[in-house]
Amino acid sequence: MEFSGKYHEADFPERYADKHARTLTRRANDRREQALLARCLTVCACSDSLADIGCGPGRFWPTLASTDVPDLYALDVSHAMLSFAREHHGVLGQRFRVAAGSVLSLPYVDNAFETVACLRLLHHFGDRLQRRRALGELARVARNHVIVSLWTDGNYKAWRRARLERRRGRRPYENRHVIPRGVLQEDFTAAGLVVERHFDLVPAFSQWRYYVLGKMDSR
Ligand SMILES: C[S@@+](CC[C@H](N)C(=O)[O-])C[C@H]1O[C@@H](n2cnc3c(N)ncnc32)[C@H](O)[C@@H]1O
C-alpha cells in the first residue's frame, strides 16, 4: 500500500523509534499510550495468547510482555521493522514469534489469538473498503478481543486538522486520516466487533483513541 512504502527503508525503524523519545511531549504521550494499552489489556483479561499486528519497532512489546501472557506474536509488513524490533528488545524480543505479512491478509488461522492489538496502523487506511477488510482480518484471527488505536473526531486536534484541510484543500493523497466515530461504529459492526471500552490519549484534545472491541460471536 502507498503509505507502507517508507516503513521498508533501512533507517526508518530507528528514526521511528527515536521520534517517540525526542521531545518531552512525545515521551509523555508514549508513557500515556503504554498506560492506555495496559488498561485495555486489563479489560481483555487475556491469559494465553496476544498478537501485535503492525508492531513496528516493538514500541509496545514491554507492555504486552508485562501481562505474563505466555504466547506472544508480532507481525509487520516491513522486514526492516521486524529485524530492528528483535535486535532492539534483546531477550524480551525473543519472546515474540514474528512474521512478515499484511493486515489485509493475515497468515494465521481463524481465532488464532485470544487478543489482537493493532496500534497506530488503521488511521493510515482512508479507503473504507480496505479499512473494513483490515478490521475483518483482525476480527477473524481474534478469539475474544481486538484492541485498536487510531484517529477519531470530536476533539480539538481533529477540528484543527479539518480547518487546515478546508483552508489549503485536501492533498491528492493523504497519509493519515481522521475517521469519524459514527463511521467507525459502522465499520466495527461490519467486522462483527462491538465497542466494550474506549480511552482517549488526552480527552477532548487528542485525536488518538484506543478501542477495546469484543467479538460479537464470542458473547
Ligand atoms: C505508525 S507504525 C506503528 C507501529 C507500532 N504499532 C506503534 O504504535 O509504535 C505503522 C506500522 O505498520 C506497518 N504496516 C504498514 N502497512 C502495513 C500492512 N498493510 N500490514 C501490516 N503492517 C503494516 C508499518 O511497517 C509500521 O511498522
Side-chain angles (χ1 to χ4, degrees), residues 172-190:
Y173 175 72
E174 295 284 348
N175 180 30
R176 296 177 297 176
H177 306 267
V178 174
I179 305 157
R181 292 172 190 178
V183 171
L184 273 177
Q185 281 288 352
E186 290 172 9
D187 291 350
F188 294 152
T189 305

Side-chain angles (χ1 to χ4, degrees), residues 198-212:
H198 69 256
F199 304 102
D200 291 317
L201 185 62
V202 183
F205 178 77
S206 169
Q207 303 169 98
W208 286 110
R209 174 169 279 195
Y210 277 67
Y211 282 100
V212 179

Side-chain angles (χ1 to χ4, degrees), residues 3-4 7 16 54-56 59-60 76-77 102-103 119-121:
F3 72 82
S4 306
Y7 296 111
Y16 180 81
C55 64
R59 192 162 64 94
F60 290 101
D76 201 282
V77 80
S102 173
V103 67
L119 308 168
R120 286 191 179 232
L121 174 54

